[in-house]
Amino acid sequence: GNSVTQMEGPVTLSEEAFLTINCTYTATGYPSLFWYVQYPGEGLQLLLKATKADDKGSNKGFEATYRKETTSFHLEKGSVQVSDSAVYFCALSGVAGKSTFGDGTTLTVKP
Amino acid sequence: GAGVSQSPSNKVTEKGKDVELRCDPISGHTALYWYRQSLGQGLEFLIYFQGNSAPDKSGLPSDRFSAERTGGSVSTLTIQRTQQEDSAVYLCASSLGGPGADSPLHFGNGTRLTVT
């Protein structure tokens, strides 16, 4: 079946540092890939998505590129802010429409 | 428009009691999911409804858990004879769904269940 593996956390960075959260997947066919974010005390919300190989999803300074050859969808941001502190989830939507999530990575950004 | 609505937002119950959690998805969304999120943990998949197809119940942790979706819309997750380990936030999500769909999930704010 489909699966998503995320870099284990927690991740702690200083403000303005570069962020990478690794995500790899196993899936049949050609899934769509997503990053969701859960800010403290809030619900999960979509951060960005990519629907086919070599697509780059971007939002709020975050980017992730759909790499079919390495089955990866790593999340990056060039300069993190304290307000980026949250839990980040990588996910895929399989050919049958069902979504599969990774375990989440907690990011803490210190001033 | 209205998002995914869950009720109640908080539920405290005694061990051994039954509870019902409700989810009202976004109108027109054919796919509906229930997840469980324990403190500091990731998302644990419970059940998935897609249109009129038989639900994927592969994530339900025991036969005390059941869910139904009436008329392809509102869903109820029922936990019978609750145990303390059932304490968690129960999240509902919906999406346009369908085979090959790339539509993202829209989550409700969850129901925080505490079993005492």
Side-chain angles (χ1 to χ4, degrees):
Chain A
N2 296 342
S3 67
V4 176
T5 302
Q6 281 185 238
M7 182 173 89
E8 288 189 21
V11 175
T12 302
L13 296 173
S14 297
E15 207 163 23
E16 299 184 4
F18 184 87
L19 168 71
T20 300
I21 300 178
N22 290 338
C23 171
T24 58
Y25 67 90
T26 303
T28 54
Y30 303 97
S32 293
L33 302 174
F34 306 85
W35 278 99
Y36 290 83
V37 60
Q38 186 175 33
Y39 297 105
E42 298 185 17
L44 271 148
Q45 57 187 280
L46 178 70
L47 179 60
L48 54 83
K49 73 174 187 180
T51 58
K52 60 183 186 296
D54 300 324
D55 264 4
K56 178 185 284 187
S58 62
N59 186 25
K60 298 182 180 180
F62 290 88
E63 293 182 341
T65 301
Y66 190 140
R67 300 287 188 200
K68 183 171 178 290
E69 64 276 13
T70 55
T71 61
S72 64
F73 193 55
H74 305 321
L75 183 69
E76 297 182 336
K77 186 173 185 181
S79 176
V80 293
Q81 305 300 311
V82 172
S83 58
D84 294 326
S85 298
V87 183
Y88 293 82
F89 293 88
C90 185
L92 67 82
S93 176
V95 293
K98 179 183 168 184
S99 290
T100 301
F101 281 77
D103 288 338
T105 301
T106 300
L107 170 66
T108 301
V109 180
K110 297 189 173 181
Chain B
V4 176
S5 177
Q6 290 188 246
S7 61
S9 55
N10 280 284
K11 177 71 176 179
V12 180
T13 189
E14 292 180 352
K15 178 181 172 182
K17 300 282 189 183
D18 297 352
V19 294
E20 281 191 355
L21 312 180
R22 176 188 168 101
C23 173
D24 201 342
I26 293 173
S27 178
H29 280 192
T30 62
L32 186 147
Y33 301 75
W34 284 98
Y35 290 90
R36 180 166 70 175
Q37 188 175 31
S38 301
L39 185 63
Q41 302 298 311
L43 292 174
E44 178 186 2
F45 166 75
L46 297 178
I47 190 168
Y48 165 60
F49 296 89
Q50 172 53 56
N52 295 321
S53 302
D56 177 349
K57 303 180 182 180
S58 59
L60 294 179
S62 77
D63 58 8
R64 296 186 296 105
F65 288 72
S66 63
E68 63 177 18
R69 188 178 184 191
T70 54
S73 181
V74 172
S75 178
T76 302
L77 176 69
T78 301
I79 309 173
Q80 296 178 310
R81 305 181 303 281
T82 53
Q83 304 294 313
Q84 288 185 329
E85 62 263 28
D86 299 335
S87 296
V89 176
Y90 289 81
L91 294 171
C92 178
S94 70
S95 74
L96 286 171
D102 65 357
S103 53
L105 269 59
H106 297 259
F107 283 85
N109 287 331
T111 294
R112 182 176 298 279
L113 175 67
T114 304
V115 182
T116 61

